Amino acid sequence: LYVKNGYYTPTIDMYKNLQIEKQGAPNNYILIAAFPGHRPTIYVASMNGVQIWNSQYLEFRGFEVRGMDDPPVVNQFDTTMNGNGISAFGNIGNKYIRIVDNHVHHVGGNGIGVANSDQILILRNRVWHCTHRSDAGNSGIAITGPKNHAPTSQPYGYVVAENVAYDNVNTFACSCAGYSQIT
């Protein structure tokens, strides 16, 4: 699926703007990508701008995923303020996911966050000005709760390479695990 330039705004769902739940195959990855020469924009106004959920053999490439430009914080728990840019997780997890050449910025939570997944490639993304409005100790690029979904002879497979991440700063105290200071 190729997407041309445009501004894609959220649906009315507090958990995700766009949920991708697709199963490809080893020699047939599902590709969701910007049309060559384009960089479509997805606006984040929920907990997850792009949510890759229980998928395998999928590549998400070439998008701009952006939140709001520093709105005033009225409630730090407001999901429109502290959502993640691109998230890959699920109750059964993801395998063989590629997150490549995206620009993620001005989201309150993780720029790119991966959990409960295995065989993940995060490559050549630019992630900036994220995490400012979260109380969950988020990061520009975060991997939490890695799972080994491969046969037991294979190790975990995470490659995070050639990304540029900057100005990803927590400004609220972390409310997780009993912390009471900015992390």
Side-chain angles (χ1 to χ4, degrees):
L1 170 67
Y2 285 102
V3 180
K4 290 191 172 186
N5 280 343
Y7 298 97
Y8 299 91
T9 56
T11 59
I12 307 299
D13 186 323
M14 70 178 279
Y15 296 107
K16 65 211 172 282
N17 288 12
L18 169 65
Q19 179 169 307
I20 303 166
E21 189 171 357
K22 296 291 179 192
Q23 310 296 314
N27 294 322
N28 192 19
Y29 268 72
I30 303 275
L31 176 64
I32 300 170
F35 190 81
H38 290 240
R39 186 167 300 277
T41 301
I42 298 171
Y43 283 98
V44 178
S46 65
M47 285 183 100
N48 298 291
V50 176
Q51 179 173 294
I52 300 169
W53 179 264
N54 294 333
S55 296
Q56 56 184 324
Y57 300 103
L58 183 135
E59 182 170 324
F60 187 79
R61 175 189 292 267
F63 288 83
E64 177 180 4
V65 179
R66 65 168 297 145
M68 299 156 67
D69 290 331
D70 295 323
V73 175
V74 175
N75 175 0
Q76 75 188 72
F77 304 105
D78 181 351
T79 58
T80 65
M81 298 291 166
N82 62 17
N84 301 310
I86 301 172
S87 296
F89 63 96
N91 56 349
I92 61 171
N94 295 291
K95 307 186 262 196
Y96 304 100
I97 303 297
R98 300 173 183 159
I99 301 169
V100 182
D101 291 329
N102 298 288
H103 292 176
V104 184
H105 60 98
H106 287 87
V107 297
N110 291 321
I112 299 172
V114 178
N116 192 27
S117 300
D118 191 21
Q119 306 302 315
I120 305 296
L121 173 66
I122 302 172
L123 179 67
R124 290 189 312 268
N125 298 284
R126 187 171 161 224
V127 181
W128 74 98
H129 202 77
C130 298
T131 76
H132 289 247
R133 295 180 303 274
S134 175
D135 70 331
N138 294 108
S139 299
I141 298 173
I143 297 171
T144 58
K147 302 290 183 194
N148 189 349
H149 296 296
T152 55
S153 63
Q154 276 190 317
Y156 295 119
Y158 288 87
V159 175
V160 180
E162 300 177 32
N163 298 286
V164 175
Y166 59 93
D167 190 30
N168 300 298
V169 179
N170 290 285
T171 57
F172 287 108
C174 181
S175 66
C176 51
Y179 293 103
S180 61
Q181 59 187 358
I182 296 174
T183 59

